[in-house]
């Protein structure tokens, strides 16, 4: 068996908002935002359900699967549309699926957590999982607060992960678990995930309130936690930074990305950034950046791809995946 990514999908909030537009109602400037964050524009609008459905639909289409072939949806989100039920229930219905579904809240680390969870389920025998990272942080942002309003955007990114038996032309819709085979061609070569709950007050949002953030401290912790997590992951995967073909980090601030990449010795040409047009889309940021890199030909079969996220909690997660794309 071999675990592959067989489809991607993306969605961005319906309205593009430039830094120049922010200047009209906030005490900020295009120059400050670009220099301090790398963000030129972001997209606001829509619900988590709608964006996740759009990205999920595209990923299903690109993987050539019928809805009934999907065995599970995992929706990574920290901005569910309702307290209950999980937003993934609505997405499951919208996509015409008949499988199980659950939300996973790992904040901006959520997509990497979801990859790790999904991979272990695929190794356990499930065949096809739709993972979506979707967030609509503009809905919990105080648009009069310049320290947060300039940073966040809305979006969704989706991937289909399939466990394909060697030689199978993949026409089966049977999702019965198979026996675990230690010779699996695994996609996940190493991973690490963690939380420092004592730092919860640095970034949080209470019910009915707006996001509260201590930016500088989040910045410092983000760099430290991401680097440390990646070093753990690389060690577990028995790899070094030199073995990484492409680094796809969470897109929170281009200076965080640069600090992490430089500490790891990964040059800019092997680091993906799309923060200039997305802003920080939380759980959606890594799948959006991954889809961009894949569609622009920056990833080749067999490449070792490093993913790393950090976010409210404070959570962090990193993973190295072997790029088995397509069937
Ligand atoms: N426009 C203009 N000036 C701004 C501003 C804005 N949007 N936001 C803050 N400032 C001002 C501050 O008030 C401060 O002014 P002062 O020197 O007169 O007091 C000055 O800019 C510097 O503020 P500071 O907070 O030190 O800036 P910074 O370089 O740390 O950048 C962040 C602020 C928020 C961009 C940065 O700390 C950051 O990205 N932190 C991590 C946030 C994050 O990633 N959150 C999500 C985690 S998933």
């Amino acid at each position: 068996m071999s675990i592959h990514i067989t489809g991607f999908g993306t969605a961005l909030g319906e309205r593009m908002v430039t830094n120049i537009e922010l200047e009209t109602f906030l005490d900020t400037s295009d120059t400050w935002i670009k220099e301090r964050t790398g963000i030129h524009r972001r997209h606001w609008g829509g619900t988590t359900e709608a964006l996740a459905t759009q990205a999920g639909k595209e990923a299903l289409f690109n993987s050539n699967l019928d809805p009934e072939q999907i065995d599970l949806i995992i929706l990574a989100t920290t901005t569910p549309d309702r307290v209950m039920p999980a937003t993934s229930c609505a997405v499951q219905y919208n996509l015409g699926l008949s499988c199980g579904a659950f939300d996973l809240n790992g904040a901006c680390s959520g997509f990497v957590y979801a990859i790790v969870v999904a991979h272990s389920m695929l190794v356990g025998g499930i065949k096809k999982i739709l993972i979506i990272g979707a967030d609509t942080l503009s809905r919990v942002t105080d648009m009069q607060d310049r320290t947060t309003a300039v940073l966040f955007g809305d979006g969704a990114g989706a991937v289909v992960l399939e466990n394909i038996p060697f030689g199978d032309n993949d026409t089966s819709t049977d999702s019965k678990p198979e026996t675990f085979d230690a010779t699996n061609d695994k996609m996940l070569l190493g991973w690490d995930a963690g939380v420092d709950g004592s730092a919860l007050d640095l970034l949080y949002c209470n019910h009915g309130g707006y996001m509260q953030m201590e930016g500088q401290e989040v910045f410092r912790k983000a760099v430290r936690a991401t680097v440390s997590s990646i070093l753990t992951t690389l060690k577990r995967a028995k790899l070094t930074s030199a073995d990484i073909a492409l680094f796809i980090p969470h897109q929170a601030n281009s200076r965080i990305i640069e600090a992490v990449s430089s500490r790891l010795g990964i040059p800019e040409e092997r680091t993906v950034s799309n923060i200039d047009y997305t802003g920080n889309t939380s759980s959606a940021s890594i799948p959006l950046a991954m889809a961009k890199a894949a569609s622009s030909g920056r990833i080749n079969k067999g490449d070792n791809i490093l993913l790393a996220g950090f976010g409210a909690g404070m959570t962090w997660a990193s993973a190295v995946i072997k790029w088995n794309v397509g069937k």
Side-chain angles (χ1 to χ4, degrees):
M1 290 182 296
S2 154
I3 296 172
H4 292 224
I5 292 176
T6 59
F8 288 100
T10 61
L12 290 172
E14 57 220 13
R15 199 168 77 78
M16 186 181 81
V17 179
T18 63
N19 294 344
I20 307 288
E21 179 176 341
L22 297 185
E23 283 179 354
T24 63
F25 62 91
L26 276 177
D27 179 14
T28 191
S29 73
D30 180 42
T31 308
W32 190 96
I33 300 170
K34 282 180 186 159
E35 281 178 6
R36 305 310 293 165
T37 72
I39 299 168
H40 296 208
R41 54 191 191 275
R42 72 289 292 142
H43 292 75
W44 289 345
T47 60
T48 297
E49 172 190 334
L51 292 168
T53 300
Q54 191 184 332
K57 196 172 180 178
E58 193 177 295
L60 278 183
F61 177 81
N62 289 332
S63 65
N64 285 319
L65 291 177
D66 294 326
E68 66 271 16
Q69 288 180 279
I70 294 292
D71 300 314
L72 181 72
I73 302 185
I74 305 176
L75 174 60
T77 185
T78 196
T79 47
D81 292 330
R82 299 181 175 90
V83 173
M84 64 174 193
T87 305
S88 52
C89 300
V91 176
Q92 185 255 27
Y93 175 72
N94 295 343
L95 294 175
L97 309 184
S98 50
C99 60
F102 64 90
D103 286 8
L104 183 161
N105 184 352
C108 303
S109 314
F111 184 79
V112 184
Y113 268 79
I115 288 273
V116 172
V117 171
H119 191 274
S120 67
M121 296 177 92
L122 289 161
V123 169
I126 283 186
K127 287 184 178 165
K128 301 173 199 328
I129 301 183
L130 174 62
I131 305 177
I132 309 174
D135 268 307
T136 47
L137 283 163
S138 73
R139 298 191 300 177
V140 294
T141 302
D142 177 357
M143 292 304 173
Q144 300 307 315
D145 174 5
R146 69 177 182 174
T147 66
T148 52
V150 304
L151 299 177
F152 297 97
D154 303 330
V159 296
V160 174
L161 285 191
E162 292 191 53
N163 184 346
I164 302 175
F166 289 126
D168 186 16
N169 63 4
D170 198 48
T171 52
S172 164
T173 57
D174 175 14
S175 61
K176 267 203 317 265
E178 294 173 2
T179 313
F180 171 68
D181 174 1
T183 63
N184 273 349
D185 180 8
K186 288 196 193 126
M187 187 185 88
L188 186 60
L189 304 182
W191 62 276
D192 173 63
V195 178
D196 175 6
S198 73
L200 188 147
D201 287 343
L202 296 180
L203 178 55
Y204 67 92
C205 180
N206 289 331
H207 281 301
Y210 288 130
M211 191 181 351
Q212 307 294 323
M213 182 181 75
E214 287 182 35
Q216 278 188 6
E217 197 47 32
V218 171
F219 190 114
R220 275 193 283 272
K221 281 199 181 299
V223 175
R224 274 203 299 271
T226 308
V227 170
S228 151
S229 177
I230 288 171
L231 290 175
T232 302
T233 286
L234 288 174
K235 194 168 169 198
R236 288 175 180 162
K238 299 187 173 58
L239 298 171
T240 70
S241 301
D243 301 310
I244 299 301
L246 205 62
F247 175 33
I248 307 180
H250 170 48
Q251 309 285 314
N253 184 317
S254 56
R255 290 186 296 131
I256 295 177
I257 296 173
E258 281 155 23
V260 170
S261 292
S262 86
R263 280 165 178 71
L264 293 167
I266 299 178
E268 196 182 337
E269 59 271 19
R270 289 199 275 128
T271 303
V272 179
S273 176
N274 63 349
I275 193 169
D276 57 324
Y277 67 90
T278 60
N280 180 346
T281 56
S282 194
S283 310
S285 91
I286 290 176
L288 283 171
M290 188 191 276
K292 179 194 172 196
S295 64
S296 56
R298 289 184 74 188
I299 315 184
N300 299 305
K301 191 168 167 48
D303 279 352
N304 295 322
I305 307 297
L306 173 63
L307 314 176
F310 66 89
M314 303 287 297
T315 60
W316 58 85
S318 59
V320 179
I321 61 172
K322 175 72 75 184
W323 196 254
N324 295 324
V325 75
K327 297 185 188 177

